[in-house]
Amino acid sequence: MIVDSHCHLDYDGLAEDEAAVVARAVEAGVGLMVTIGTTRAGWAKALGVAERHPEVLCALGIHPHHAGEQGLDDPAPLIEAARHPRVVGIGESGLDYFYDYGPRERQAASFRTHIRAARETGLPLVVHTREAEEDTIAILEDEMVKGAFTGVIHCYSSSRWLAERAVAMGLYLGIGGILTFKKSEAIRATVADMPLDRLLLETDAPYLAPMPLRGRTNEPAFTVHTAKALAALKGLPLAEIERATTANFCRLFTRAAALRPAA
């Protein structure tokens, strides 16, 4: 079984055909999907998708793009929402200096609040970082000293330095379609050197469709293309990549492991 550990099934491009998108994923061998609620309004949408499909779970948070108007200073609302049994993660949250839609100080404050929620709930943190590597790692390391938590660097597409620091903290790396892009030589070189037991598969659908489907609306069924690319990169059979990344997912997303549908 393959797991798509990060997608957005309530976003335009997928929501209009939700049932068929999930069915195509299952047919392609994707047995679990985690859809991400990125705004307060999006929490209910993500939960709705997860409630309608046994193969779909969700994570809830406030994306850094929305930290200006919706950023969290108190973890209580998120902790309360995460009591729902189909919520398996906290986030995505983090820092995005590429678009800078949210003031950086608000992004940082909200990020720390999400970490508090992850620590208190025991659910893994889903981290978004774009052109903010040093500040992201500084916050993660500072918060880890205050109390341990688990998590994943979603959509890893950054430097070797970030990957190494994240893995050293015990975090995982989410590997998506970017791994297959022609200009991703440096990313492939880093992922090749990362321990297999720290890698997860994801799509970030509807964005970043992998080769040879680049340009199309991405969807969880396409996770298999990234799995094949990772297998080739690691010199391992596809079945081993499926087994290892699914085991990694269940180890990190412990609540998901308990909810995993029967084969």
Side-chain angles (χ1 to χ4, degrees), residues 34-263:
V34 179
T35 191
I36 313 295
T38 57
T39 64
R40 289 295 288 267
W43 293 1
K45 293 180 180 179
L47 277 168
V49 180
E51 289 172 338
R52 286 189 289 274
H53 305 281
E55 303 87 1
V56 180
L57 305 168
C58 69
L60 304 180
I62 302 297
H63 194 287
H65 287 347
H66 306 291
E69 70 277 15
Q70 296 188 35
L72 298 176
D73 294 309
D74 180 355
L78 184 52
I79 291 170
E80 180 60 31
R83 295 185 191 280
H84 192 290
R86 299 197 70 76
V87 177
V88 298
I90 299 295
E92 63 191 279
S93 180
L95 306 176
D96 193 308
Y97 294 173
F98 181 80
Y99 287 107
D100 261 341
Y101 288 153
R104 293 185 179 184
E105 66 275 11
R106 291 296 302 132
Q107 292 187 46
S110 186
F111 188 22
R112 288 183 183 273
T113 301
H114 281 74
I115 293 171
R116 289 169 60 194
R119 189 184 291 122
E120 183 162 335
T121 61
L123 298 177
L125 178 72
V126 181
V127 179
H128 173 107
T129 180
R130 190 168 185 189
E131 296 197 2
E133 296 184 5
E134 291 187 3
D135 286 355
T136 298
I137 291 296
I139 289 174
L140 289 169
E141 291 182 339
D142 179 60
E143 291 290 338
M144 194 68 75
V145 171
K146 298 176 184 177
F149 57 93
T150 62
V152 54
I153 304 295
H154 142 65
C155 194
Y156 167 70
S157 56
S158 303
S159 69
R160 178 179 292 266
W161 176 84
L162 181 136
E164 291 176 344
R165 294 291 283 267
V167 168
M169 274 189 281
L171 303 182
Y172 291 71
L173 303 177
I175 308 301
I178 291 175
L179 185 75
T180 71
F181 294 178
K182 292 180 180 179
K183 295 183 178 181
S184 295
E185 291 89 352
I187 293 170
R188 283 190 288 273
T190 298
V191 172
D193 291 340
M194 291 297 106
L196 181 57
D197 65 2
R198 288 290 152 178
L199 304 181
L200 304 179
L201 295 172
E202 65 165 79
T203 58
D204 203 18
Y207 311 114
L208 302 172
M211 298 292 288
L213 303 170
R214 192 172 182 186
R216 290 178 54 178
T217 298
N218 201 5
E219 58 180 84
F222 299 169
T223 313
V224 66
H225 295 281
T226 302
K228 289 177 179 177
L230 183 58
L233 187 64
K234 290 288 191 180
L236 294 170
L238 177 60
E240 175 60 17
I241 294 298
E242 294 177 355
R243 184 206 63 75
T245 55
T246 297
N248 297 345
F249 174 83
C250 291
R251 189 185 315 117
L252 178 61
F253 290 87
T254 54
R255 188 181 286 180
L259 294 171
R260 177 177 171 178

